[in-house]
Amino acid sequence: MNEQQRKEQSKLRTGKSVDKKSSQDKPLSEKTTEDFAHYFQTTYQPPNINKARKRYREDIEVHYDFTIPDEMNSIGVDKNFLIRTYGCQMNEHDSETMAGILMQMGYKATTEVEEADVIILNTCAIRENAENRVFGEIGHLKALKVEKPDLIIGVAGCMSQQETVVNRILEKHQQVDLIFGTHNIHRLPQLIQEAMFSKAQVVEVWSKEGDIYENLPKARHGNIKAWVNIMYGCDKFCTYCIVPMTRGKERSRRPEDIIQEVRQLAAQGYKEITLLGQNVNSYGKDFEDIDYLFGDLLNDMNKIDIPRVRFMTPHPRDFDDRAIAALAKGGNLLDHIHLPVQSGSSEILRRMNRKYTREAYLELVRKIKKAIPNATLTTDIIVGFPNETDEQFEETMTLVEEVGFESAYTFIYSPREGTPAAVMEDNVPMDVKKERLYRLNELVNQQSAQSMQQYEGNIIKVLVEGESKRDSEVLSGYTEKNKVVNFKGPKSIIGEIVEVKITDAKTWSLDGELVTKTTEVNENAKIHT
Ligand code: SAM
Ligand code: SF4
């Protein structure tokens, strides 16, 4: 369907004439999308938030036929690429796909900007400061583009899905050759081809909800832990959030495709997977032909011989009994649950359109703790939502204490153009918001430190990921509950799950001593004693 849409739009674009002169005479503030239309010479459809808001009941198509055009197959030989990723795990994983596609085209990865022939900024639109950082980076790249005119600079990800961002880049940042959206990653070879041979900036952003593209190559970061997308998009429309507009509608991958991918990862020796989705536990709700939900997928994951399975991010509203029952079985399903609450006030939650109350959230927590007594909970919280009162903020503080979150991602509300909250009047001054964030962080730090204390003297399992960033003599890894552990040991145990005795608990990490002793037998085999 998208391919069809692309072809139709492509036919349309040649028939459209725009009065370039009159549009150029207007000041930027008065320009409309029409005025920018002449830039969209290679655009199949300008991004449009209002269209993205509409959810059509069209079938989602799953495509299994990804190929790179012959003429692009080795275009990257002796050339380098660099992808800079901003934002969430979903973006990290999209970057792995882009890297996989570029490597199939012959490009090699580099970390040096000066060595790159293709630079892609994979962007995040969730808060204003994330966007500002990207525009800063685009500005820095201007000098390099002047020095190296053949360099291809691309902007991808959630920012590209916003019309205002695309217009701003087209108007002010001529050094950007290519803008493409979250639904267009599979078209990267063709887009690079157009950018190489076209004189104009290339823009391809589909507002449509998106199909599913299987079999895209992936260059995964490391060989110990892997991300696995299980669904895409979001239909929740929280009033503060841009994601439903940038990521399209909720659509689940077929179970057999996920199971096959995880089996392959297990066979390749990966030790941990994280199932990914904007609302990972809404998985399966869009299937019309099968009754197969997130709980069923968890049960199937539990049958695969991979030591650790995590998931990010579940929505409280969709946390059903089937999922809780599956998690309660344990096995490779870890008992760390990241459950974003956003606010402890039912009134703020109502205005956020979260579709649950404080009481419903607490009831869900009770249910989870009853079924999984050792469950660890962490969360996301927004402070300073428009007109949040002191009392409503205090409700967030008491909820954090009552649940006993062991850590939290905390944010000051950031207005996002095109979202309902952005036009709400806001009487909360920024210094009050900052003060609330500070108090909340103090509480979260205190709870994190307390949770760490309980490990002192205990022996816990750690998946060893590599050398610590601060000291190459020290190894670093994660516990089942996602706590960082630093300890000394031989490099040969990187990638293994080992036992570590905790000697010192800090606020955000644990220090320990290796209990499992590893004797190297030869290069490939190790014996644990
Ligand atoms: N889908 C998940 C959920 O609803 O729980 C979260 C995904 S969202 C990409 C990650 C987090 O960013 C949210 O949980 C929220 O706390 C934060 N966030 C989203 N929009 C925001 C905004 N406009 N201002 C501040 N924080 C925001
Ligand atoms: Fe954003 Fe809400 Fe969707 Fe999470 S559930 S991605 S916060 S709209």
Side-chain angles (χ1 to χ4, degrees), residues 184-457:
N184 308 70
I185 294 171
H186 63 288
R187 298 239 323 132
L188 190 52
Q190 289 86 346
L191 294 173
I192 290 197
Q193 188 174 24
E194 287 191 45
M196 277 176 168
F197 301 113
S198 152
K199 296 267 178 293
Q201 288 173 297
V202 175
V203 186
E204 185 173 293
V205 182
W206 287 337
S207 282
K208 198 189 170 275
E209 286 96 20
D211 287 348
I212 292 178
Y213 295 88
E214 292 292 343
N215 303 334
L216 299 182
K218 293 179 182 72
R220 294 185 190 273
H221 187 72
N223 53 7
I224 302 169
K225 303 207 292 196
W227 309 113
V228 177
N229 268 128
I230 64 166
M231 64 172 302
Y232 305 92
C234 176
D235 287 348
K236 300 290 185 282
F237 289 98
C238 299
T239 52
Y240 52 82
C241 185
I242 195 76
V243 169
M245 274 72 94
T246 62
R247 289 277 174 180
K249 78 172 172 187
E250 288 182 358
R251 51 206 192 278
S252 307
R253 286 179 71 196
R254 300 297 299 183
E256 56 277 16
D257 292 330
I258 300 169
I259 292 167
Q260 188 196 17
E261 182 175 345
V262 177
R263 281 205 185 120
Q264 272 173 4
L265 291 166
Q268 288 163 16
Y270 281 86
K271 295 292 188 317
E272 180 178 308
I273 55 149
T274 302
L275 307 175
L276 281 186
Q278 296 298 347
N279 293 298
V280 81
N281 55 338
S282 309
Y283 178 80
K285 285 173 69 183
D286 54 323
F287 289 144
E288 285 179 355
D289 56 337
I290 48 172
D291 173 25
Y292 188 92
L293 295 173
F294 185 57
D296 303 300
L297 183 70
L298 289 175
N299 282 329
D300 278 334
M301 293 295 110
N302 219 339
K303 293 178 197 148
I304 299 176
D305 187 16
I306 194 153
R308 291 181 169 193
V309 177
R310 299 184 192 278
F311 54 93
M312 279 279 269
T313 309
H315 192 294
R317 184 177 142 193
D318 286 337
F319 222 117
D320 60 15
D321 292 347
R322 232 191 264 194
I324 297 177
L327 288 169
K329 290 183 195 154
N332 61 7
L333 305 174
L334 302 186
D335 54 8
H336 164 221
I337 300 171
H338 186 75
L339 192 62
V341 65
Q342 313 300 358
S343 167
S345 151
S346 293
E347 172 55 17
I348 295 288
L349 289 169
R350 189 188 64 74
R351 288 201 277 121
M352 286 177 163
N353 194 30
R354 290 292 288 180
K355 301 251 169 66
Y356 55 84
T357 58
R358 173 193 177 95
E359 292 69 34
Y361 185 90
L362 288 171
E363 179 52 31
L364 174 62
V365 168
R366 268 190 288 277
K367 248 188 190 178
I368 291 173
K369 287 187 172 170
K370 191 167 172 225
I372 314 157
N374 284 327
T376 295
L377 290 165
T378 56
T379 198
D380 290 354
I381 297 169
I382 296 176
V383 301
F385 188 74
N387 301 327
E388 182 191 56
T389 63
D390 284 340
E391 293 72 31
Q392 287 164 339
F393 170 68
E394 293 308 326
E395 288 185 76
T396 297
M397 295 288 277
T398 55
L399 181 125
V400 168
E401 277 181 285
E402 191 166 339
V403 176
F405 293 118
E406 295 195 2
S407 80
Y409 293 111
T410 56
F411 311 101
I412 290 182
Y413 163 71
S414 170
R416 304 284 60 215
E417 196 182 329
T419 61
V423 290
M424 291 178 189
E425 253 182 65
D426 188 1
N427 62 10
V428 191
M430 186 46 89
D431 56 342
V432 172
K433 296 187 188 211
K434 285 186 179 162
E435 169 68 20
R436 286 180 189 166
L437 183 70
Y438 178 79
R439 281 190 52 212
L440 176 61
N441 284 346
E442 290 279 287
L443 177 62
V444 172
N445 290 355
Q446 199 184 317
Q447 291 189 183
S448 172
Q450 267 164 17
S451 74
M452 293 299 202
Q453 288 297 328
Q454 69 193 352
Y455 294 105
E456 270 189 3

Side-chain angles (χ1 to χ4, degrees), residues 1 3 19 56 73 240 317 330 348 391 438 469 504:
M1 187 60 200
E3 204 55 20
D19 180 354
Y56 298 101
N73 243 331
Y240 52 82
R317 184 177 142 193
I348 295 288
E391 293 72 31
Y438 178 79
K469 282 187 193 122
D504 191 14

Side-chain angles (χ1 to χ4, degrees), residues 2-158:
N2 271 338
E3 204 55 20
Q4 185 61 29
Q5 177 196 35
R6 183 180 72 75
K7 283 180 193 144
E8 279 168 17
Q9 292 287 338
S10 144
K11 273 186 239 148
L12 277 178
R13 70 176 192 249
T14 48
K16 199 168 187 178
S17 81
V18 173
D19 180 354
K20 285 190 197 178
K21 184 158 186 321
S22 63
S23 114
Q24 277 164 8
D25 292 343
K26 284 187 196 168
L28 179 63
S29 56
E30 287 172 21
K31 286 186 181 179
T32 64
T33 309
E34 282 296 295
D35 297 322
F36 286 102
H38 66 277
Y39 288 113
F40 286 78
Q41 292 177 38
T42 48
T43 303
Y44 306 109
Q45 184 181 339
N48 183 321
I49 277 179
N50 291 332
K51 276 191 201 152
R53 257 178 200 284
K54 296 191 181 116
R55 290 291 187 251
Y56 298 101
R57 288 211 58 78
E58 279 170 32
D59 283 348
I60 293 296
E61 277 185 35
V62 187
H63 304 262
Y64 293 92
D65 54 356
F66 174 80
T67 50
I68 293 174
D70 287 347
E71 65 277 20
M72 294 304 284
N73 243 331
S74 50
I75 197 97
V77 172
D78 297 329
K79 292 185 187 151
N80 300 315
F81 75 89
L82 184 149
I83 302 176
R84 201 151 272 167
T85 312
Y86 303 79
C88 65
Q89 294 82 5
M90 203 72 74
N91 268 15
E92 294 280 348
H93 191 39
D94 282 350
S95 291
E96 291 182 335
T97 306
M98 291 179 209
I101 294 174
L102 289 168
M103 285 164 98
Q104 265 201 10
M105 293 163 70
Y107 288 96
K108 285 204 178 67
T110 178
T111 51
E112 302 301 321
V113 179
E114 293 75 20
E115 285 178 6
D117 300 283
V118 173
I119 297 177
I120 296 176
L121 306 180
N122 189 10
T123 63
C124 170
I126 206 99
R127 281 171 293 277
E128 196 185 356
N129 58 2
E131 285 199 3
N132 291 342
R133 275 173 55 216
V134 171
F135 275 112
E137 185 65 28
I138 293 174
H140 289 145
L141 291 173
K142 194 171 182 176
L144 193 63
K145 178 76 182 176
V146 173
E147 243 174 68
K148 261 176 100 169
D150 287 341
L151 168 69
I152 293 179
I153 299 177
V155 176
C158 288

